[in-house]
């Protein structure tokens, strides 16, 4: 759908066609929030998440690519000049207002339309390759990997989930913009920076994705559920009156409340009242301890990544 609306817009740049394109971009971006944590199989090999949602977008590289028309999106130098955040720049950041942006897309000599469609084509190719890899070979080997070893499915999946929670979610969406890891806040490091009003909705969607995965709920039908980490953890802790899973779920709800209290534009929130971002970070960090220390200890799973940010 994103590809179709992009082609329609490029062929006829109007307020109506760009509005539809923005809708489909956001819809796709929201769905991505449910996918990013699964950095396994071919997705890990081809650096899928870095090519779909690396931010901030490298504006200089994007403009250079468009000007020179000599770029290879498979090269690491272009990882930060493709994906959702680069499309965010193209749709919201190349002009002072929507009319100026439409005007630039209307000028075929500027090649913005070609770059937009090239980015979306690459996203589709990468996604299709991963889906094919899963359906053809990887699915069976993943399911049949039932041991608890460094390379087993349960170990990799749980580690990827926690790594995403700690890095892709806690640090990237909140901590880095708020200046937790630097000597000052970095308001230009928020997700979907140029669109201005999407960072909060993306963070809330990511929180729902975390909630759904931990509790085994289907992403598109919350009434549909299956076995999950919570079930595994509750089985291990069957003799405990106070379940760790309850602490984790209670903290997820607290996170949702704190994010809901933030501005729709995280960059604006950082600039105007960064303390709220820092408090939100602390509430998320409390669940890092529950997941990374308490849960892994209960499940007898070892951390498989190096953490150097002082947690």
């Amino acid at each position: 759908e994103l590809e179709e609306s992009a082609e329609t817009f490029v062929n006829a740049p109007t307020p109506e066609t760009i509005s539809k394109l923005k809708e489909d971009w956001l819809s796709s971006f929201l769905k991505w929030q449910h996918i990013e944590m699964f950095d396994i199989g071919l997705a890990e090999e081809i650096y899928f998440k870095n090519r779909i949602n690396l931010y901030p977008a490298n504006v200089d590289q994007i403009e250079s690519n468009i000007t020179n028309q000599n770029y290879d999106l498979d090269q690491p130098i272009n990882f930060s000049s493709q994906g959702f955040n680069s499309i965010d720049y193209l749709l919201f950041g190349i002009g002072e207002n929507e009319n100026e942006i439409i005007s630039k897309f209307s000028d075929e000599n500027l090649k913005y339309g070609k770059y937009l469609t090239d980015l979306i084509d690459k996203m589709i190719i990468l996604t299709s390759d991963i889906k094919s890899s899963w359906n053809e070979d990887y699915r069976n080997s993943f399911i049949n990997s039932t041991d608890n070893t460094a390379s087993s499915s349960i170990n990799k999946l749980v580690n990827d989930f926690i790594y995403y929670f700690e890095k892709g979610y806690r640090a990237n969406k909140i901590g880095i913009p708020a200046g937790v890891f630097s000597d000052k806040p970095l308001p230009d490091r928020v997700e979907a920076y140029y669109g201005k009003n999407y960072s909060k909705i993306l963070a809330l969607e990511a929180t729902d994705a975390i909630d759904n995965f931990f509790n085994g709920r289907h992403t598109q039908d919350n009434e549909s559920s299956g076995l999950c980490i919570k079930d595994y953890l509750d089985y291990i802790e069957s003799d405990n009156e106070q379940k760790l899973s309850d602490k984790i779920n209670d903290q997820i709800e607290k996170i949702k409340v704190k994010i809901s209290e933030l501005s729709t534009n995280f960059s604006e929130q950082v600039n105007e009242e960064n303390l709220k971002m820092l408090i939100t970070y602390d509430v998320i960090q409390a669940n890092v301890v529950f997941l990374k220390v308490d849960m892994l200890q209960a499940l007898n799973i070892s951390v498989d990544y190096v953490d150097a940010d002082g947690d």
Side-chain angles (χ1 to χ4, degrees), residues 57-71 78 80-82 86 89-95 101 104-105 109-112 115 119 194:
N58 187 334
V59 171
D60 290 339
Q61 185 68 35
I62 292 170
E63 291 291 351
S64 174
N65 288 344
I66 293 171
T67 300
N68 298 326
Q69 286 297 298
N70 181 24
Y71 49 87
N78 280 315
S80 59
S81 56
Q82 61 184 292
S86 293
Y89 168 68
L90 294 176
L91 295 183
F92 301 97
I94 63 173
I101 292 168
K104 287 191 175 182
F105 274 100
N109 294 324
L110 296 180
K111 304 293 184 182
Y112 281 104
Y115 197 68
L119 295 189
Y194 295 95

Side-chain angles (χ1 to χ4, degrees), residues 18-286:
I18 198 173
S19 177
K20 179 64 167 63
L21 176 55
K22 289 175 181 177
E23 284 180 20
D24 288 340
W25 165 80
L26 178 59
S27 176
S28 299
F29 210 165
L30 289 170
K31 285 181 170 58
W32 168 257
Q33 304 302 319
H34 297 266
I35 300 300
E36 186 171 336
M37 68 182 79
F38 302 112
D39 191 30
I40 55 176
L42 184 62
E44 181 180 16
E45 293 174 23
I46 65 175
Y47 301 98
F48 187 47
K49 65 181 181 182
N50 286 349
R51 302 175 70 175
I52 301 295
N53 195 32
L54 195 62
Y55 53 99
N58 187 334
V59 171
D60 290 339
Q61 185 68 35
I62 292 170
E63 291 291 351
S64 174
N65 288 344
I66 293 171
T67 300
N68 298 326
Q69 286 297 298
N70 181 24
Y71 49 87
D72 182 353
L73 295 176
D74 291 323
Q75 293 299 313
I77 192 175
N78 280 315
F79 284 4
S80 59
S81 56
Q82 61 184 292
F84 283 115
N85 289 279
S86 293
I87 296 173
D88 170 55
Y89 168 68
L90 294 176
L91 295 183
F92 301 97
I94 63 173
E96 293 296 321
N97 52 57
E98 188 174 273
N99 287 336
E100 192 173 317
I101 292 168
I102 290 173
S103 177
K104 287 191 175 182
F105 274 100
S106 299
D107 187 344
E108 293 184 7
N109 294 324
L110 296 180
K111 304 293 184 182
Y112 281 104
K114 181 181 183 301
Y115 197 68
L116 172 66
T117 54
D118 282 352
L119 295 189
I120 295 171
D121 287 346
K122 178 56 67 174
M123 293 167 75
I124 290 172
I125 289 169
L126 295 173
T127 306
S128 298
D129 286 349
I130 291 167
K131 186 177 179 182
S132 295
S133 173
W134 172 260
N135 288 333
E136 291 169 6
D137 302 311
Y138 192 64
R139 183 178 186 276
N140 286 336
S141 64
F142 182 85
I143 291 171
N144 291 328
S145 173
T146 57
D147 296 329
N148 183 1
T149 63
S151 60
S152 66
S153 294
I154 184 64
N155 194 298
K156 294 188 68 163
L157 195 62
V158 171
N159 266 285
D160 280 358
F161 171 60
I162 297 173
Y163 182 85
Y164 169 73
F165 187 90
E166 184 180 9
K167 305 297 183 183
Y169 177 71
R170 179 207 61 162
N172 290 355
K173 294 182 190 296
I174 305 292
I176 291 173
V180 173
F181 307 102
S182 56
D183 57 358
K184 63 179 180 179
L186 302 169
D188 63 331
R189 303 297 175 89
V190 303
E191 197 170 21
Y193 170 71
Y194 295 95
K196 298 188 184 301
N197 293 316
Y198 301 104
S199 44
K200 177 178 175 178
I201 190 174
L202 292 168
L204 285 171
E205 189 77 14
T207 314
D208 286 341
I210 290 163
D211 190 356
N212 287 344
F213 176 67
F214 181 74
N215 291 287
R217 288 191 293 268
H218 194 286
T219 58
Q220 296 177 4
D221 178 10
N222 287 168
E223 298 302 315
S224 176
S225 61
L227 290 171
C228 57
I229 295 180
K230 178 184 183 302
D231 293 325
Y232 187 14
L233 191 57
D234 287 351
Y235 173 77
I236 296 293
E237 294 195 322
S238 58
D239 294 333
N240 295 1
E241 269 190 43
Q242 188 174 24
K243 298 287 192 290
L244 177 58
S245 64
D246 292 334
K247 294 181 182 179
I248 292 170
N249 277 323
D250 288 346
Q251 201 63 29
I252 289 173
E253 293 306 311
K254 292 176 182 177
I255 292 168
K256 290 179 181 180
V257 169
K258 287 302 175 186
I259 293 177
S260 296
E261 293 173 351
L262 299 174
S263 168
T264 55
N265 180 356
F266 282 1
S267 182
E268 184 179 84
Q269 183 68 65
V270 168
N271 283 325
E272 295 184 358
E273 194 177 357
N274 193 41
L275 180 60
K276 282 190 174 183
M277 287 284 281
L278 294 171
I279 291 172
T280 302
Y281 175 89
D282 288 343
V283 174
I284 296 172
Q285 173 60 23

